[in-house]
Amino acid sequence: MTTTTTTASRALPLAATVLTGTVALYMALVAFGNITDFGTNQAFVQHVLAMDTTFKDDDLMWRAVTSEGLQNAAYVAIIVWETVAALVLVAGTWFGFRRDHARARRLSTAGLLMVMLLFGAGFIGIGGEWFAMWQSDTWNGLDAATRIFLLSGVVLIVTHLPRERAATTGRP
């Protein structure tokens, strides 16, 4: 095996590991921020669920969740999901740096899909469309959610790009 082949075969797993670590860091900081500054994003979730800054169309307002208990339960569930996703991504990053690429890929995939579900299905789909977050000038997180969804998708693609097989082991 040539030095170029060896370098190339290590570059993609390293890139996937570093990118996964980047998303892990982001998710850890988001979860940490939501835990230590609970009230800031709690207000965001409450306003989105209450739909109190939307156009208040009677055909949509029946969807609003105005129960503070349900709003807080949703917010805590989001924080738990963020925390678990961050931990899974940290583990994926750890195994990537340890060159256990199969385990790193599995964990990274799981963590990235968790992030994509939260930001894609949760914030873009449910928050953006079901609760009409797109109508709010004040409480609209669609741009941020889209950025994180796309970043996670790119990292997931890089994680699953075909890799050269090592001549001696027959494994990636």
Side-chain angles (χ1 to χ4, degrees), residues 6-88:
T6 303
T7 303
S9 66
R10 291 183 184 160
L12 189 57
L14 178 60
T17 298
V18 169
L19 290 170
T20 298
T22 300
V23 179
L25 174 64
Y26 174 78
M27 289 306 298
L29 291 173
V30 167
F32 180 77
N34 285 338
I35 292 166
T36 60
D37 182 19
F38 190 85
T40 298
N41 281 328
Q42 177 189 30
F44 176 86
V45 170
Q46 288 175 332
H47 285 288
V48 169
L49 295 179
M51 299 174 68
D52 57 2
T53 60
T54 64
F55 301 162
K56 298 192 175 149
D57 182 341
D58 289 336
D59 293 331
L60 296 179
M61 290 308 292
W62 64 270
R63 299 175 183 178
V65 175
T66 56
S67 163
E68 195 171 307
L70 288 176
Q71 292 169 343
N72 289 336
Y75 183 49
V76 168
I78 289 168
I79 294 171
V80 168
W81 190 269
E82 291 166 343
T83 303
V84 172
L87 292 171
V88 171

Side-chain angles (χ1 to χ4, degrees), residues 17 20 23 27 33 63 88 90 93-94 105 113 118-119 124 126 140 142 147 152 158 161 169:
T17 298
T20 298
V23 179
M27 289 306 298
R63 299 175 183 178
V88 171
V90 165
T93 303
W94 169 256
R105 184 183 276 190
L113 288 174
L118 177 63
F119 286 92
I124 296 170
I126 296 169
N140 186 340
L142 288 174
R147 281 193 306 271
S152 300
V158 169
L161 286 174
T169 64

Side-chain angles (χ1 to χ4, degrees), residues 129-140:
E129 289 302 317
W130 185 256
F131 290 107
M133 181 170 58
W134 65 270
Q135 294 179 3
S136 177
D137 290 330
T138 310
W139 302 102
N140 186 340

